[in-house]
Amino acid sequence: MAIAGETTLAARQDENATKRWVRFLDPSERTLAVLLLMPAALLLALIIVYPVCRLVWTSFHNLSLTSGAPATFAGIENYTLMLEDPVFWETTWNTVLITLITVPGALLVGMALALMANLPFKVKWPVRLSLLIPWALPLSFAGLIFAWFFHSEYGVVNDVFRRLGFEGVIWFNSASWAFAAICLTIVWKTSSFMALIILAGLQTIPHSLYEAAEVDGAGRFRQFFEITLPLLKPSIVVALIFRTITALQTFDIPFTMTRGGPGTSTATLAMYIHQNTVDFLDLGYGSALAVVMFALSMAVTAVYLRMIRAKG
Amino acid sequence: MTFNRTLKLLLAGAAVTLSASAAMAQTNLRVFISSQHRPDVWRKAFDMYEAKNPNVKVTIETGGNTSEAQAQYLNTVMTAKDSSLDVMILDVIRPAQYAAAGWTVPFNDVIGDVGAYMKRYLPAYAEANTVDGKVVALPAFADAMFLYYRKDLLEKHGVQPPQTWDELAAAAKKITEAEKDPNLQGLSFQGKAIEGAVCTFLLPYWSMGKQLVSDGKLSFDKDAAVKSLKLWKDFVDQGVAKKNIAEVATDDTRKEFQAGNVLFAVNWSYAWGQFQGAESAVKDKVGVVKLPSVKGGQPASCLGGWEWGVSAYSNNKTEAQKLVQYLSSPETSEFMAINAALLPQFPEVYTDPDVTKAVPWFASARPVVETAKARPVTPRYNEVSEIIRTTINGVLAGQATPEEGATQMEGRLRRVLR
């Protein structure tokens, strides 16, 4: 009986779909649809498709604004140059390293912050506010503040070190210390964003689940790993996507803290793109670098999306 | 009705004609000056020009207090083909670059006999502003790097101002050891990855008689580069310069010296005026000489100075060129020397009695400016500069040995100047 009912329903749906399709084939309906979609499509083409196409076009040309010469076709020259350019490899590696360190770092700290903020405080606003402040601060501002914190002579970090009886560190004089200072700043700046997303996820978990688990005799740890973490997964993935893509485009914090120094040891790919296009006005090479970064971001997003789809 | 209409039309026509003729009579020129180059004093020079040319009004636009910051701003204005700026001040390293990009207008048509006109300037400035026979900008004022030293401390310990970098290191060690002041550094120079660090690298390199670029082609001498990088790194290792020298920018050197914490300092001419200021701890205790050389070499200084260029996108090119000719004249040079202590671009102004009365040390500054060398002249100077300054910064921070630094520098320079 039920099976027969379902079949009829499916048949009716089919019929409806066919009707809709026929109606859509009706020229006036189709024109209307196209016309209605046109503004959005044009806008999208203007602000996304055109710049991306233009970027790819420029990356295959010799276009240096300082030479005063018009653009000439260069084929893949900009890309082959990139392969032999040690600074390209160094900045790409630095970018990957920053991503590998600061994304998990910000996730862990963000998770801890979110769990803390989710505790049953009587007065919630001070906790929420302290979460919001680093998130709302402009990136370059955070970079400038921490550059002062880590200054070898006047910085508060070395001051604390000296008061504790240690020798101060010349943070920006060594690639590894400078790198550590940058990663610390990025984690500080971005973990609150992770915390905000995770906190939103935490609040959707029904309290009754924990009560049931407690009745069944599950401890805090078991509750966390069996209930909290699995139910948080969607929020974590969303937070990770956003954070990873911004990490691949890291610019402001190293730019304001070290300008990529000492030497070029803390420069990122985004900084190298900026340098080639804005400082050197070499738009051809800069565009080729930007295409690589674009491809990198797209690849990472694709991996994450696939992860979500597999889970869904 | 018809009468009214005709009257309205007539009035409107008259208004248009009046405003048009007023616009023709009045030229508004907008001049870009960097904020550290005394726009207040230049304003007085503009006032004098306006008094003589009532049809011209000059407005000043200031911005950026480093050469890089100014270049970034001007690059944006010029690539946008923006007509809002008529005249702009350019670091001496840029006229060639701006001319190659087609951003400035040559002066050849307005200055008459080019050879005779440019001969009046110090040769380095005539050269820096002439590209393929075209006068692409006119000099605003001169500059060079000097060695500042604590006259009082050198006299106290019976030490003569050093002639070579080795002598400087020995003098610094002797005096800092004897003074036992933990805050006193032997030598301060620019180790941060800024334009000044390019000069830091070039000073000993040039003093070995080597060139970086000859006829637009790279003429890199790797041995000399290694020696130059090693010289500065040794100062850090021997304790002559402080350990965080890779963090030190031009004005940091000035501040530290002015606070009395430095024995020797490499800096531009602007520092002199500040050292003699009311808040200076070293007022009347400062000596200035030409920079030391490497042993057996010739002393060399980095040529600085700023030039006036007329924008190719200006709507008032002819008026702008006339203004620049006035700004780059001996009279204005003398005025700016006396009132703003800017080094003259004309040799005879250095010994002008009014000038030597106002700034006595200018007389001894002339030979240094005359022997100063220009940084590589190439349209891709920004890239060359970036390569040199990040390399020396990395070597001073201990990220690379002088040998590794020189190898990296050579490889990267070769790619840019291929």
Side-chain angles (χ1 to χ4, degrees):
Chain A
M1 190 61 189
I3 293 168
E6 270 177 21
T7 327
T8 6
L9 191 68
R12 213 177 297 149
Q13 272 174 348
D14 261 6
E15 204 179 312
N16 276 343
T18 323
K19 264 189 199 158
R20 263 204 305 273
W21 183 236
V22 169
R23 222 176 319 141
F24 181 72
L25 286 178
D26 176 10
S28 64
E29 286 270 330
R30 210 170 39 198
T31 321
L32 183 68
V34 171
L35 278 177
L36 288 175
L37 282 173
M38 199 67 100
L42 273 177
L43 201 67
L44 214 67
L46 203 71
I47 63 173
I48 297 178
V49 182
Y50 172 73
V52 173
C53 292
R54 184 65 203 247
L55 182 77
V56 176
W57 181 89
T58 316
S59 78
F60 289 109
H61 286 75
N62 271 326
L63 178 55
S64 167
L65 295 182
T66 53
S67 71
T72 52
F73 185 69
I76 56 161
E77 196 191 319
N78 286 322
Y79 292 92
T80 48
L81 268 177
M82 205 186 296
L83 296 178
E84 338 167 327
D85 179 356
V87 182
F88 162 71
W89 290 111
E90 191 184 9
T91 51
T92 307
W93 169 239
N94 288 343
T95 308
V96 171
L97 209 58
I98 283 178
T99 310
L100 290 178
I101 294 171
T102 64
V103 174
L107 178 66
L108 285 180
V109 178
M111 176 83 86
L113 287 173
L115 288 172
M116 242 159 59
N118 203 35
L119 289 176
F121 286 109
K122 277 231 174 70
V123 191
K124 286 201 161 81
W125 68 265
V127 184
R128 305 264 155 102
L129 187 70
S130 58
L131 271 187
L132 276 171
I133 285 174
W135 172 75
L137 212 61
L139 279 164
S140 51
F141 201 38
L144 286 173
I145 293 172
F146 276 78
W148 269 104
F149 282 180
F150 288 106
H151 193 281
S152 67
E153 281 173 60
Y154 321 113
V156 67
V157 180
N158 272 0
D159 187 53
V160 171
F161 274 26
R162 288 194 191 105
R163 278 164 203 259
L164 292 174
F166 300 105
E167 213 181 307
V169 174
I170 306 178
W171 292 86
F172 303 130
N173 224 11
S174 117
S176 26
W177 283 121
F179 214 86
I182 287 172
C183 287
L184 212 76
T185 309
I186 296 177
V187 169
W188 178 85
K189 171 74 180 84
T190 56
S191 50
S192 54
F193 169 73
M194 303 289 258
L196 287 173
I197 296 183
I198 294 171
L199 184 61
L202 272 175
Q203 289 178 343
T204 61
I205 303 177
H207 207 69
S208 55
L209 287 178
Y210 293 102
E211 284 163 2
E214 216 146 285
V215 171
D216 290 343
R220 285 263 154 161
F221 272 100
R222 186 110 193 252
Q223 285 179 25
F224 178 75
F225 284 106
E226 304 274 326
I227 303 171
T228 315
L229 214 51
L231 288 174
L232 269 185
K233 257 184 193 161
S235 317
I236 292 177
V237 172
V238 169
L240 278 179
I241 292 182
F242 279 113
R243 185 71 269 280
T244 312
I245 290 172
T246 47
L248 287 172
Q249 295 166 357
T250 301
F251 176 85
D252 309 57
I253 286 177
F255 185 78
T256 43
M257 284 180 82
T258 62
R259 293 263 160 171
T264 46
S265 55
T266 58
T268 64
L269 186 55
M271 286 165 76
Y272 197 44
I273 295 172
H274 169 266
Q275 190 174 61
N276 275 285
T277 46
V278 179
D279 295 345
F280 305 161
L281 297 174
D282 187 347
L283 299 192
Y285 192 55
S287 301
L289 291 167
V291 167
V292 169
M293 188 158 96
F294 179 68
L296 214 63
S297 305
M298 292 299 278
V300 171
T301 315
V303 170
Y304 274 125
L305 289 178
R306 184 161 280 236
M307 262 167 63
I308 297 180
R309 211 174 298 152
K311 291 227 169 67
Chain B
M1 195 69 171
T2 348
F3 174 72
N4 263 349
R5 216 173 175 183
T6 323
L7 186 67
K8 265 184 197 163
L9 268 173
L10 273 173
L11 279 172
V16 168
T17 327
L18 270 173
S19 58
S21 60
M24 252 189 277
Q26 183 79 58
T27 313
N28 290 307
L29 294 176
R30 206 171 167 78
V31 180
F32 176 82
I33 303 180
S34 29
S35 47
Q36 86 271 37
H37 291 143
R38 306 298 303 268
D40 52 330
V41 187
W42 283 111
R43 181 67 255 175
K44 289 180 192 156
F46 292 138
D47 290 343
M48 293 189 283
Y49 186 76
E50 283 175 358
K52 274 187 245 161
N53 301 273
N55 62 329
V56 177
K57 278 273 164 289
V58 182
T59 19
I60 292 181
E61 181 174 324
T62 60
N65 59 359
T66 66
S67 174
E68 295 96 86
Q70 290 138 17
Q72 235 174 44
Y73 172 69
L74 290 178
N75 281 351
T76 317
V77 175
M78 290 296 119
T79 44
K81 302 188 190 324
D82 188 339
S83 64
S84 62
L85 283 181
D86 300 290
V87 176
M88 52 204 169
I89 203 161
L90 302 170
D91 195 340
V92 68
I93 50 187
R94 306 204 198 277
Q97 202 181 315
Y98 277 48
W103 292 345
T104 45
V105 194
F107 286 85
N108 294 46
D109 296 341
V110 289
I111 58 177
D113 181 357
V114 171
Y117 196 90
M118 296 309 283
K119 220 176 163 174
R120 306 173 306 150
Y121 297 108
L122 288 166
Y125 295 98
E127 201 181 307
N129 290 299
T130 315
V131 178
D132 299 331
K134 285 200 180 113
V135 178
V136 295
L138 290 177
F141 56 91
D143 206 353
M145 274 187 152
F146 298 88
L147 182 72
Y148 291 97
Y149 65 95
R150 283 287 296 278
K151 208 158 58 177
D152 56 332
L153 290 178
L154 261 68
E155 274 166 15
K156 184 177 161 192
H157 296 276
V159 175
Q160 287 299 309
Q163 310 242 324
T164 66
W165 291 108
D166 290 346
E167 284 174 29
L168 183 142
K173 274 184 218 160
K174 184 179 168 188
I175 296 173
T176 48
E177 272 164 30
E179 283 290 314
K180 294 195 176 62
D181 175 1
N183 288 327
L184 186 68
Q185 306 162 44
L187 169 70
S188 180
F189 59 92
Q190 288 83 59
K192 198 174 177 163
I194 52 159
E195 187 55 42
V198 177
C199 294
T200 300
F201 169 76
L202 288 169
L203 297 172
Y205 182 86
W206 278 334
S207 101
M208 288 175 252
K210 305 297 177 192
Q211 289 297 321
L212 199 73
V213 174
S214 323
D215 304 325
K217 290 265 179 297
L218 185 69
S219 58
F220 189 79
D221 187 298
K222 202 171 155 194
D223 282 344
V226 173
K227 278 186 198 148
S228 167
L229 292 168
K230 197 167 173 313
L231 178 111
W232 297 110
K233 182 70 169 80
D234 284 348
F235 283 145
V236 183
D237 294 342
Q238 295 165 4
V240 172
K242 61 176 183 175
K243 285 208 159 45
N244 72 337
I245 196 80
E247 286 183 323
V248 173
T250 315
D251 215 40
D252 299 327
T253 300
R254 194 269 301 167
K255 284 182 200 147
E256 287 169 350
F257 191 90
Q258 198 171 324
N261 295 333
V262 178
L263 188 61
F264 294 107
V266 179
N267 214 327
W268 302 92
S269 62
Y270 84 102
W272 175 265
Q274 311 237 27
F275 294 157
Q276 302 306 328
E279 313 94 85
S280 171
V282 293
K283 192 169 187 281
D284 299 326
K285 295 177 186 167
V286 187
V288 55
V289 280
K290 59 183 168 193
L291 287 159
S293 66
V294 296
K295 215 172 168 184
Q298 286 296 316
S301 178
C302 210
L303 185 84
W306 290 72
E307 325 302 311
W308 291 115
V310 170
S311 163
Y313 308 110
S314 158
N315 294 324
N316 313 298
K317 293 190 190 77
T318 320
E319 282 298 340
Q321 283 177 322
K322 271 191 214 152
L323 173 69
V324 166
Q325 278 184 281
Y326 158 79
L327 293 176
S328 185
S329 65
E331 296 73 42
T332 311
S333 173
E334 192 183 319
F335 178 79
M336 293 310 288
I338 292 169
N339 294 288
L342 296 179
L343 285 169
Q345 65 273 46
F346 299 95
E348 71 277 8
V349 181
Y350 283 84
T351 43
D352 180 282
D354 291 339
V355 171
T356 47
K357 200 176 146 214
V359 264
W361 77 282
F362 270 22
S364 51
R366 186 177 139 188
V368 180
V369 179
E370 274 177 340
T371 50
K373 290 184 195 301
R375 281 160 275 172
V377 177
T378 152
R380 297 187 72 173
Y381 179 75
N382 285 351
E383 282 143 289
V384 172
S385 158
E386 199 271 337
I387 292 167
I388 298 175
R389 59 189 140 104
T390 51
T391 310
I392 185 145
N393 175 261
V395 169
L396 288 172
Q399 287 307 301
T401 63
E403 288 78 13
E404 286 163 359
T407 311
Q408 284 166 19
M409 204 189 270
E410 186 176 25
R412 292 181 65 194
L413 284 172
R414 231 170 253 300
R415 245 192 318 281
V416 170
L417 298 173
R418 64 185 187 274

